[in-house]
Amino acid sequence: MVSIKTLLLLALPYTTNTAAAALPTDQHGDYNGSDLIEWISSHKEGYVHPSLRIGRRIPGDPSSIIGTFVKSDGKPILEGEVIATIPWDCMIGPGDEYQFDTFESCQAVRNLAAELKLGDESQYKPYVNYLLTQSIEAMPGLWSSAAQQFLHDTILDNGKLPPDKDSWYNGAGYTKYLQMCGGYPNDPMERLAYYLTSTRDEDTLMIPIYDMMNHSNDPHKLNTLSYKPKKAGESFVFKASRTIRPNEEIYNCYTRCSVCSLHHRDECETFSFRGTPDIFAHYGFVEEIPHYWWFERRDGSSNNKLVETEFCIDVKDDESTTTMDNKLNVRWIGSLPTKEDKAFYVYHLGRLGQILKEKKELELQLVQSDKNDESQEGKMTKLEWEACWNWHKALVTGLAAAIDSINRISSGEEQPNVITYDSQGEEDDSSDDDDDESGDEL
């Protein structure tokens, strides 16, 4: 059976290369979005701040990602200033079916697919031509079979650790889309449209320029607030949440206002239920701390019930940067873990440590040394390998932080910090001083 990725690569090279050749570039040869900026600005309701720059994080480095920045010679974008206003007519979505509180739309995917097929004839030409150049291969569900199998079977212990197999494995999300929306599995543009909306849309809207902003939930970096249309026909606006200086990157947060968010409710239009495993499953990268984790285990009872624990990890107040090497603070969601939960964490942390010891040997067995060598078929790429180990490190960080928190609570060094979904974004996280009557809770 031909894979989703193979079909896409076979079907799209002409369109993608033609679009790429037509894209405007800066003095470094990097895409600069000048066509998009001109197109949006020419609309009577459109606006793009004159200091905004689209380009690579490291200009001229093809391995560096595209993002949005304040120009080096531009004025700062002041707190509260509008960064861009994107008119309704410049967004691709479900059309008149748009609803503020709807987060998935079959029609939005179909409409995007139709515009992608039109290419230069689309009324969204600058945006469509940019989208046709975008790679979707970073998504774990579109990795090689070798990479998906290594991640699922070895690192995740056959699905015992997140992300859940049904959210990513072998293009699971696209399969669900076909079933739910009655899509056409042999239509490569509809397939591409599905993956683009999955990774780039704001709920059901594809929004140019806004979707080029990179993700950060690091409160020291995040610098925007966004306001989506209340109803069809209205514009999308995003503003600076603080003053953004020349050369600074302009960030969005894909998980703003989740239960682990450090943002106040006043900054929230809608609330995200995505956690760190979702970000990895959908985008193929590990987000910066804060992290939102959940782990599931079977309780061993006659019903073998599924038990879930959730927690947030962030950097302690006395730390100035959010890296995985700093001391981490754990906030438990709903209730404290049990002794059985701790045993689950300890087991998997030890298992992941053993895999790390075998890393060099595994690399020789599983990773391509030369992608042009036919004998290397059936092996994963180095990029896939690195992404697997980035997730391995994230799991180790989360599990180790949870175990450390449990030990500190048990020894009395640390007060339990338990939050609820109701306390999201507030500063008055509660401490749980009650003893559990069953005696199982730590």
Side-chain angles (χ1 to χ4, degrees), residues 50-93:
S51 291
L52 181 135
R53 173 180 78 85
I54 295 171
R56 293 197 184 277
R57 187 173 285 170
I58 304 174
D61 181 353
S63 66
S64 179
I65 60 175
I66 295 283
T68 54
F69 306 83
V70 176
K71 294 175 180 176
S72 59
D73 58 352
K75 294 181 179 179
I77 301 178
L78 302 179
E79 180 178 350
E81 274 197 283
V82 172
I83 298 172
T85 299
I86 313 299
W88 178 261
D89 292 342
C90 295
M91 296 183 280
I92 305 174

Side-chain angles (χ1 to χ4, degrees), residues 24 38 56 97 118 121 131 152 154 173 185 196 225 273 275 281 332 347 397 410:
E38 181 180 352
R56 293 197 184 277
E97 294 182 11
L118 288 173
E121 302 302 316
L131 291 174
H152 177 266
T154 304
L196 287 172
L225 292 171
F273 294 96
W332 297 96
Y347 167 76
T397 299
S410 297

Side-chain angles (χ1 to χ4, degrees), residues 140-193:
L142 292 178
W143 286 354
S144 64
S145 296
Q148 291 192 50
Q149 186 173 349
F150 174 70
L151 176 64
H152 177 266
D153 296 359
T154 304
I155 292 182
L156 306 185
D157 195 16
N158 291 296
K160 294 183 180 67
L161 295 180
D164 182 73
K165 180 179 181 178
D166 291 341
S167 70
W168 67 276
Y169 194 76
N170 199 24
Y174 180 64
T175 301
K176 290 178 184 177
Y177 163 79
L178 292 174
Q179 295 169 347
M180 181 176 72
C181 299
Y184 297 95
N186 295 322
D187 184 343
M189 282 300 186
E190 185 173 359
R191 187 179 294 111
L192 177 61

Side-chain angles (χ1 to χ4, degrees), residues 381-402:
T381 67
K382 290 183 178 179
L383 288 176
E384 291 170 338
W385 175 253
E386 289 168 3
C388 284
W389 285 99
N390 287 340
W391 188 242
H392 176 283
K393 182 178 180 181
L395 286 167
V396 167
T397 299
L399 291 167

Side-chain angles (χ1 to χ4, degrees), residues 257 263-269 271 421-426:
C257 303
H263 304 97
H264 197 275
R265 281 178 178 271
D266 290 347
E267 298 180 357
C268 303
E269 271 210 338
F271 296 93
Y421 286 99
D422 292 336
S423 64
Q424 173 183 349
E426 306 292 347

Side-chain angles (χ1 to χ4, degrees), residues 36-52:
L36 270 179
I37 293 172
E38 181 180 352
W39 173 56
I40 291 166
S41 300
S42 67
H43 193 286
K44 63 180 181 179
E45 296 172 7
Y47 171 77
V48 179
H49 196 288
S51 291
L52 181 135

Side-chain angles (χ1 to χ4, degrees), residues 266-394:
D266 290 347
E267 298 180 357
C268 303
E269 271 210 338
T270 58
F271 296 93
S272 171
F273 294 96
R274 281 185 173 179
T276 300
D278 294 319
I279 294 296
F280 181 72
H282 281 85
Y283 306 104
F285 67 83
V286 178
E287 64 180 344
E288 296 163 301
I289 291 171
H291 284 178
Y292 169 22
W293 286 104
W294 58 85
F295 292 93
E296 295 178 334
R297 62 173 179 82
R298 296 291 176 179
D299 68 356
S301 66
S302 57
N303 296 325
N304 208 19
K305 188 170 63 175
L306 200 63
V307 177
E308 183 180 73
T309 49
E310 300 175 79
F311 57 90
C312 314
I313 60 174
D314 51 68
V315 175
K316 291 184 182 293
D317 293 339
D318 58 349
E319 300 289 350
S320 59
T321 57
T322 52
T323 69
M324 293 187 185
D325 299 321
N326 290 329
K327 291 292 184 181
L328 300 174
N329 177 57
V330 175
R331 293 175 289 152
W332 297 96
I333 301 173
S335 61
L336 291 173
T338 64
K339 294 175 182 176
E340 291 77 15
D341 293 324
K342 179 184 176 181
F344 177 88
Y345 302 152
V346 169
Y347 167 76
H348 281 288
L349 184 62
R351 187 184 61 80
L352 291 169
Q354 183 58 41
I355 297 170
L356 181 60
K357 293 178 182 178
E358 302 167 3
K359 183 177 179 181
K360 289 185 178 180
E361 182 180 341
L362 289 167
E363 183 172 6
L364 291 173
Q365 296 174 12
L366 301 173
V367 182
Q368 297 173 358
S369 57
D370 180 359
K371 64 181 180 181
N372 296 318
D373 184 348
E374 291 185 3
S375 67
Q376 302 290 301
E377 287 187 18
K379 294 187 176 184
M380 73 179 85
T381 67
K382 290 183 178 179
L383 288 176
E384 291 170 338
W385 175 253
E386 289 168 3
C388 284
W389 285 99
N390 287 340
W391 188 242
H392 176 283
K393 182 178 180 181

